[in-house]
Amino acid sequence: MSDALSLLQQRHSVPSRQLGEPVPDESTLRALLEAAIRVPDHGKLVPFRLIQMQGEAKLRFGERMTALVIRNKPELSDSKREKERLRYTFAPLVLVIVACIDEESSVPPIEQTLTAGCVAQNLLIGAYALGFGAQWLTGWAAYDREAAAVLGLASNEHVVGFMHLGTPQIDVPDRDRPALDDLLSTWTP
């Protein structure tokens, strides 16, 4: 079997709480990001962008998200408030993958969003190929317009995911995978 297929068959997510230092150095991260943006892109719209968060910025973002949650749910328990505050702090690097929808384009918005999703998938595969771990998470903040405003997103932009990156701190067992025979059918006229 080819190394490329083996890589795909072995890739798995590493929980953000299990990701630590080191992260890719600057040149390796740049190479990873340049590879990740090589995606199918109907109309060559480049309907995505990336936002990087490291260090203190991750905690500050979590604090801003916590303030939004508390404003909408003042009864939120202290433990859930703390969970929100720390949500983005475990992995040393968080990349926000943003879909930038060109609403004037004849390319359907779903195709543009899928292109941004391909960037996220390439980040997962690329991180694994380089010996790093990653987890693609969303959560409520990915779908909240006030959270989008905190990130500086325009009205035509939305978060596809928060990619948590670092080095796995433990061996993570693979999860059960679906059987291909349960998913594959053959269309006949």
Side-chain angles (χ1 to χ4, degrees):
M1 180 179 335
S2 80
D3 289 343
L5 284 180
S6 178
L7 177 74
L8 288 173
Q9 290 175 328
Q10 294 173 30
R11 192 223 61 86
H12 60 275
S13 295
V14 178
S16 64
R17 290 176 180 264
Q18 304 304 328
L19 293 168
E21 295 287 351
V23 295
D25 62 39
E26 190 175 326
S27 65
T28 303
L29 179 60
R30 184 168 185 84
L32 172 60
L33 296 176
E34 286 174 344
I37 64 174
R38 293 180 58 95
V39 293
D41 182 2
H42 184 180
K44 300 178 188 170
L45 300 175
V46 190
F48 56 84
R49 66 185 180 98
L50 303 165
I51 301 169
Q52 182 175 323
M53 288 192 280
Q54 283 184 281
E56 194 71 16
K58 297 179 303 161
L59 179 60
R60 297 294 164 246
F61 181 71
E63 289 171 347
R64 300 275 299 272
M65 296 303 98
T66 303
L68 290 178
V69 170
I70 291 170
R71 193 173 74 228
N72 295 322
K73 295 181 181 179
E75 73 284 356
L76 197 67
S77 71
D78 288 343
S79 64
K80 288 188 179 178
R81 289 176 186 210
E82 188 67 359
K83 181 180 177 182
E84 286 298 330
R85 190 175 81 79
L86 299 177
R87 182 181 302 272
Y88 304 94
T89 63
F90 301 110
L93 173 62
V94 177
L95 296 167
V96 186
I97 300 94
V98 178
C100 311
I101 306 304
D102 181 344
E103 296 162 348
E104 304 295 317
S105 174
S106 62
V107 176
I110 185 66
E111 289 188 32
Q112 296 179 55
T113 299
L114 288 169
T115 293
C118 288
V119 172
Q121 180 65 12
N122 280 356
L123 282 169
L124 284 174
I125 295 168
Y128 184 77
L130 293 170
F132 295 98
Q135 187 177 30
W136 177 354
L137 297 172
T138 52
W140 69 269
Y143 308 104
D144 186 272
R145 288 316 301 170
E146 289 180 283
V150 171
L151 287 166
L153 304 190
S155 62
N156 67 318
E157 295 180 319
H158 64 274
V159 172
V160 170
F162 297 93
M163 188 68 63
H164 300 248
L165 272 118
T167 297
Q169 303 300 297
I170 63 166
D171 287 330
V172 178
D174 200 9
R175 64 175 174 85
D176 290 338
R177 302 293 175 165
L180 178 61
D181 291 341
D182 294 341
L183 303 171
L184 179 65
S185 61
T186 301
W187 182 85
T188 56

